[in-house]
Amino acid sequence: MIRKMEISDADEVYNIENQAFFEPWSKKNLIKDLKSNSFLNHYVAEVDGKVVGFYISSHVMDEAEIFTIAVDRDFQKKGIATSLLNHLVETSLSKNIKEIWLEVSTKNTAAINLYKKFGFEVMGIRKNYYQKIGADAYNMKKEL
């Protein structure tokens, strides 16, 4: 089940974020954005009442951007990320979004392959996007 994120999900989301990324959002910023940033959309995926994945995106005018998407490592390769992306695309279509943008590490082959499966195309490279580890990112776009 995919539903809107609630403040009570912050601990589980923060734990998943820390598993998945070398530069995770702080729990303080997550809660602040959830409470007050009306441009961001926060959703979680639940399995048997447990938060197992989430995404945060924005919708501005006719464009969406994926800021982060992650799945608990114990639930990876079970279709959770696919479900989250399907939800994001469906939500975007219902809001007349024309394009979805994202950045992904050039080293994250699994994510790149998933995005390509969804029709995202590499539009360019952002050099040293992940400065702490000196990694580049692909800038990817999907037209709806």
Side-chain angles (χ1 to χ4, degrees), residues 23 103-107 122-139:
E23 291 187 68
E103 284 84 25
V104 61
S105 170
T106 56
K107 298 176 182 180
V122 173
M123 303 308 290
I125 291 183
R126 294 185 180 224
K127 295 287 187 189
N128 202 31
Y129 185 77
Y130 301 103
Q131 294 177 2
K132 285 187 180 178
I133 61 167
D136 299 338
Y138 288 127
N139 188 242

